[in-house]
């Protein structure tokens, strides 16, 4: 990693992603989404796509622009297209949000912005996927890279299905009753499966494995257990996605895929527990300590999905599970890793060229743990409170419904405050405000 040059696009992607995340949380705290509006309402879909496209996909693409070259020891193919990717994804997202609001208001003509925006996001995602895939194909792939490669396969499917769903909204008659019915009945859940399970979960698993192993000085190759976890998770998700189109005729295959994916995710989490125990760096920095909280959320989501599948209650609880994954697991993992990635990239960019020629600060000196830990703890505490409130509402709160609704909004608002606090800390890291000025002057001149 230290020998790799810093992508000039990663930090720009991170800034755009954080802006979308903050906007999504404020939108939700205003009560414009589920659980106060239907899960399929236009205003709810605005928040969902701000989280999935604006925040998590942009964050993940920004991270991959830096880490795919690290994983392969090759320069990134398509680095010059990174700007176009960002512009297409962000511009397409804006058009999609406009389309969702127009559709919710019953303005069919204006909702043409929905498929147009979806096509732009798809073009950006495919452009990025092509560049990353070309780089990955040029070198032997370690285990984390194979997770990323599997995630990129799903990245090509998610926007394709999203555009088809948008066309079903805008022009249902032109698609025909059969196609329109198929998209509504099976396309939407499979869009969620490909996006949350295939793209976001698999890629996050690979990036987390690489970062945790690298920063905690633990082995990233996990032997047969690691290979089995990847094969079961990625293969199971692929089988469930393909069988999902067949409906009841291939229900057994779909169930087998879901069981395999759940087993693989559980095996991955169990192996990460072992990775924490194998680490040579005993002190857990904030990124490693709070990643464990996020991964515990992933474990809870997997267990909950298995229980709901057995109880036949998956559809009713789907919004609460999506909230757990988006606001708790993936967002918590992303924020906790940013507080390590940003100072690390800052250090490589500014001090890497000075190594061996003059004293330089350590990466840890750019990060003020005592300032970062409370924000991360507040974020996860608020995420937990918000999810419990959502679960109570789904379960049927009765007279407590108003109280739980207020708790849910307050929790999301608290998450937004914690996110803003962490964004401020990231800005301090970029400005190197944790470093004493006199010490830096001495280091810069080599007199210390």
């Amino acid at each position: 990693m230290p020998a790799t040059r810093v992508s000039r696009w990663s930090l720009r992607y991170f800034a755009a992603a954080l802006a979308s995340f903050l906007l999504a949380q404020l939108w939700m705290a205003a009560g414009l989404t589920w659980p106060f509006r239907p899960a399929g309402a236009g205003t709810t879909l605005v928040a969902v796509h701000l989280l999935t496209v604006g925040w998590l996909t942009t964050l993940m693409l920004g991270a991959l622009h830096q880490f795919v070259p690290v994983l392969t020891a090759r320069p990134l193919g398509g680095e010059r297209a990174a700007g176009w990717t960002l512009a297409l994804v962000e511009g397409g997202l804006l058009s999609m949000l406009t389309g969702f609001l127009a559709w919710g208001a019953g303005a069919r003509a204006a909702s043409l912005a929905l498929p147009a925006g979806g096509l732009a996001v798809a073009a950006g995602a495919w452009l990025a996927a092509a560049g990353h895939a070309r780089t990955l194909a040029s070198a032997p792939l370690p285990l984390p890279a194979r997770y990323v490669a599997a995630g990129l396969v799903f990245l090509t499917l998610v926007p394709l299905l999203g555009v088809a769903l948008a066309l079903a909204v805008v022009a249902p008659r032109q698609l025909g009753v059969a196609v329109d019915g198929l998209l509504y009945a099976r396309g939407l859940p499979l869009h969620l499966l490909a996006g949350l399970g295939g793209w976001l979960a698999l890629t996050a698993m690979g990036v987390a494995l690489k970062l945790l192993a690298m920063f905690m000085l633990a082995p990233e190759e996990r032997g047969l257990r690691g290979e089995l976890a990847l094969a079961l998770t990625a293969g199971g998700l692929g089988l469930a996605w393909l069988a999902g189109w067949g409906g009841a005729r291939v229900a057994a295959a779909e169930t087998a895929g879901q069981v395999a994916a759940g087993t693989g995710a559980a095996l991955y989490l169990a192996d990460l527990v072992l990775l924490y125990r194998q680490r040579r760096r005993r002190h857990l920095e904030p990124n490693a300590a709070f990643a464990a909280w996020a991964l515990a959320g992933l474990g809870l989501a997997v267990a909950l999905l298995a229980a709901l599948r057995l109880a036949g209650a998956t559809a009713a609880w789907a919004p609460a599970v999506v909230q757990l994954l988006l606001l708790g697991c993936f967002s918590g993992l992303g924020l906790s890793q940013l507080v390590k990635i940003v100072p690390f990239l800052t250090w490589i960019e500014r001090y890497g060229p000075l190594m061996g020629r003059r004293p330089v600060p350590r990466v840890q000196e750019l990060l003020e743990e005592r300032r970062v830990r409370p924000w991360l703890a507040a974020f996860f505490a608020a995420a937990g409170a918000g999810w419990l409130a959502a679960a109570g509402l789904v379960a049927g709160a009765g007279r407590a419904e108003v109280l739980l609704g207020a708790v849910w909004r307050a929790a999301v608002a608290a998450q937004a405050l914690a996110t803003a606090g962490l964004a401020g800390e990231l800005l301090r890291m970029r400005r190197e405000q944790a470093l004493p000025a006199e010490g830096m002057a001495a280091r810069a001149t080599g007199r210390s």
Side-chain angles (χ1 to χ4, degrees):
M1 181 86 176
T4 303
R5 73 182 182 86
V6 175
S7 167
R8 65 192 180 96
W9 288 103
S10 290
L11 291 168
R12 298 174 188 181
Y13 275 65
F14 296 159
L18 281 168
S20 286
F21 191 31
L22 277 169
L23 182 58
Q25 290 170 102
L26 294 175
W27 186 264
M28 295 169 73
L32 297 171
T33 65
W34 183 91
F36 306 101
R37 306 282 178 88
T43 51
T44 299
L45 295 175
V46 165
V48 169
H49 287 81
L50 274 171
L51 290 171
T52 54
V53 178
W55 161 229
L56 292 168
T57 294
T58 305
L59 173 71
M60 209 68 81
L61 291 177
L64 292 184
H65 274 96
Q66 185 62 45
F67 286 107
V68 166
V70 173
L71 292 167
T72 58
R74 301 279 196 282
L76 181 67
E79 169 75 5
R80 294 178 182 174
W84 285 107
T85 296
L86 184 59
L88 285 167
V89 170
E90 295 302 308
L93 174 63
L94 182 60
S95 180
M96 286 175 66
L97 301 184
T98 304
F100 282 128
L101 293 176
W103 173 56
R108 291 285 179 183
S111 64
L112 287 174
L114 189 55
L119 280 172
V121 171
W126 293 333
L127 195 60
H132 294 323
R134 192 162 67 247
T135 309
L136 289 170
S138 68
L141 300 183
L143 182 61
R146 294 200 287 281
Y147 273 101
V148 172
L152 289 175
V153 173
F154 284 97
L155 178 61
T156 63
L157 297 175
V158 179
L160 184 65
L161 200 45
V163 171
L165 286 165
L167 290 173
V169 167
V170 176
R173 292 180 181 175
Q174 285 74 8
L175 287 178
V177 176
V179 174
D180 190 47
L182 182 68
L183 284 173
Y184 270 114
R186 300 174 195 163
L188 184 57
L190 294 177
H191 183 56
L192 284 172
L193 177 68
L196 299 183
W199 160 233
L200 291 176
L202 283 174
T203 310
M205 290 163 78
V207 172
L209 176 58
K210 175 66 183 180
L211 290 177
L212 292 173
M214 183 170 71
F215 290 126
M216 293 197 299
L217 303 180
E220 67 180 44
E221 289 296 336
R222 308 304 302 165
L224 180 60
R225 186 174 44 250
E227 300 294 340
L228 192 58
L230 171 60
L232 285 171
T233 310
L237 286 168
L239 177 60
W241 193 87
L242 289 172
W245 291 104
R249 291 171 298 171
V250 288
E254 185 178 11
T255 301
Q258 293 169 349
V259 171
T263 304
L267 193 57
Y268 170 87
L269 293 171
D271 192 43
L272 280 194
V273 173
L274 183 61
L275 183 146
Y276 271 78
R277 292 177 178 170
Q278 291 174 332
R279 73 184 191 277
R280 282 187 285 168
R281 180 169 286 164
R282 304 319 300 170
H283 171 67
L284 280 181
E285 294 178 305
N287 66 304
F290 287 95
W293 293 28
L295 293 167
L298 178 60
L300 175 60
V302 171
L304 189 60
L305 283 170
L308 292 171
R309 183 74 168 81
L310 290 173
T314 306
W317 279 78
V321 175
V322 169
Q323 178 182 329
L324 174 61
L325 287 170
L326 291 182
L327 283 183
C329 174
F330 297 147
S331 295
L333 187 62
L335 286 175
S336 64
Q337 298 315 296
L338 276 181
V339 301
K340 184 67 178 181
I341 293 173
V342 170
F344 200 78
L345 296 185
T346 301
W347 187 93
I348 293 175
E349 180 183 62
R350 297 176 186 172
Y351 297 104
L354 300 178
M355 279 286 288
R357 290 192 285 169
R358 62 183 58 177
V360 297
R362 295 177 301 138
V363 176
Q364 292 89 331
E365 292 180 71
L366 301 181
L367 168 67
E368 289 185 275
E369 289 193 21
R370 62 182 177 80
R371 296 176 61 98
V372 165
R373 286 183 184 273
W375 287 122
L376 283 170
F379 180 87
F380 279 101
W387 187 77
L388 288 174
L393 289 168
V394 173
R399 294 180 179 178
E401 184 174 331
V402 174
L403 175 62
L404 287 176
V407 170
W408 189 88
R409 291 179 63 174
V412 176
Q415 281 192 271
L417 180 63
T419 303
L422 285 165
E425 292 304 315
L426 295 176
L427 191 58
R428 282 178 55 84
M429 293 173 203
R430 285 295 293 169
R431 292 175 175 172
E432 304 178 50
Q433 288 179 265
L435 297 178
E438 55 277 10
M440 280 313 303
R443 288 187 179 101
T445 57
R447 289 185 279 105
S448 64

